[in-house]
Amino acid sequence: MTKMEVKENKKLILKNVILKKFENIEMQNVDRESSKLLNEMKLLNVQTFGPLVTKVSGHHIHEDGSFTMDYELMLQAHDYKQYKEKYIIKDRIEFSHCVYVRFQGEPENIQFAHSKLELYFYEENLVSDGITISIIVSETPDEITVDLFKPVVQL
């Protein structure tokens, strides 16, 4: 097990971004939608670079007890502008003043990285804007490497 080191004042910059938003998506549908987007990118022969980036910006518990979230999938692509009719495109997306941690381990233990970020915010008396950005650096069935960024509200 690798010790997770938390770092402050990190900046994440994405360029030439193709973005797909999902509002109130149920958790069990996230993997399916991610796979669907990646398959669409392959079918369209999109010239992507870098890994898939996800952004979770809100969780909702509904009266019936169901749990949904607001979720964005982002890919960087050299030829991104030609997909403006099908997707949201952005020249640049910047997340400044983030707290960062890298998780490397068994996929079922990723929640420890999220907990470490939450605990760091609590201990350092930081305020989050409720967003978490995840970048899957590498993935096998037995091990995953994920970079997590959590923006800090500047008071």
Side-chain angles (χ1 to χ4, degrees), residues 61-127:
I61 300 174
H62 301 277
E63 288 181 15
D64 65 359
S66 63
F67 179 79
T68 61
M69 60 185 168
D70 297 333
Y71 195 75
E72 294 178 16
L73 297 170
M74 296 175 269
L75 282 166
Q76 298 175 97
H78 297 291
D79 55 350
Y80 73 110
K81 286 189 177 181
Q82 74 184 55
Y83 302 101
K84 65 183 177 187
E85 300 301 321
K86 187 167 175 70
Y87 304 103
I88 300 166
I89 64 165
K90 301 279 185 183
D91 294 329
R92 177 182 169 102
I93 298 175
E94 183 175 320
F95 301 97
S96 300
H97 310 292
C98 293
V99 175
Y100 160 88
V101 69
R102 173 170 274 193
F103 173 80
Q104 189 169 8
E106 296 173 355
E108 60 268 14
N109 293 329
I110 187 71
Q111 78 274 8
F112 294 122
H114 289 278
S115 296
K116 182 143 188 165
L117 273 180
E118 293 298 327
L119 181 60
Y120 188 86
F121 268 76
Y122 173 75
E123 289 177 340
E124 299 298 321
N125 203 26
L126 299 173
V127 178

Side-chain angles (χ1 to χ4, degrees), residues 15-149:
K15 297 179 180 176
N16 306 346
V17 179
I18 295 174
L19 183 137
K20 188 159 187 182
K21 289 185 178 189
F22 300 92
E23 293 182 357
N24 287 318
I25 187 170
E26 293 180 354
M27 280 199 66
Q28 65 265 21
N29 295 331
V30 169
D31 285 341
R32 185 183 76 226
E33 292 299 332
S34 297
S35 294
K36 192 169 143 186
L37 177 66
L38 291 172
N39 286 337
E40 285 176 12
M41 294 294 120
K42 285 178 186 172
L43 286 172
L44 293 170
N45 203 24
V46 178
Q47 298 173 18
T48 62
F49 60 93
L52 177 67
V53 179
T54 63
K55 174 183 158 190
V56 176
S57 56
H59 298 91
H60 313 282
I61 300 174
H62 301 277
E63 288 181 15
D64 65 359
S66 63
F67 179 79
T68 61
M69 60 185 168
D70 297 333
Y71 195 75
E72 294 178 16
L73 297 170
M74 296 175 269
L75 282 166
Q76 298 175 97
H78 297 291
D79 55 350
Y80 73 110
K81 286 189 177 181
Q82 74 184 55
Y83 302 101
K84 65 183 177 187
E85 300 301 321
K86 187 167 175 70
Y87 304 103
I88 300 166
I89 64 165
K90 301 279 185 183
D91 294 329
R92 177 182 169 102
I93 298 175
E94 183 175 320
F95 301 97
S96 300
H97 310 292
C98 293
V99 175
Y100 160 88
V101 69
R102 173 170 274 193
F103 173 80
Q104 189 169 8
E106 296 173 355
E108 60 268 14
N109 293 329
I110 187 71
Q111 78 274 8
F112 294 122
H114 289 278
S115 296
K116 182 143 188 165
L117 273 180
E118 293 298 327
L119 181 60
Y120 188 86
F121 268 76
Y122 173 75
E123 289 177 340
E124 299 298 321
N125 203 26
L126 299 173
V127 178
S128 165
D129 63 2
I131 293 171
T132 303
I133 301 102
S134 303
I135 302 171
I136 299 174
V137 178
S138 66
E139 184 176 23
T140 66
D142 299 327
E143 185 173 280
I144 190 167
T145 301
V146 179
D147 290 339
L148 297 175
F149 292 83

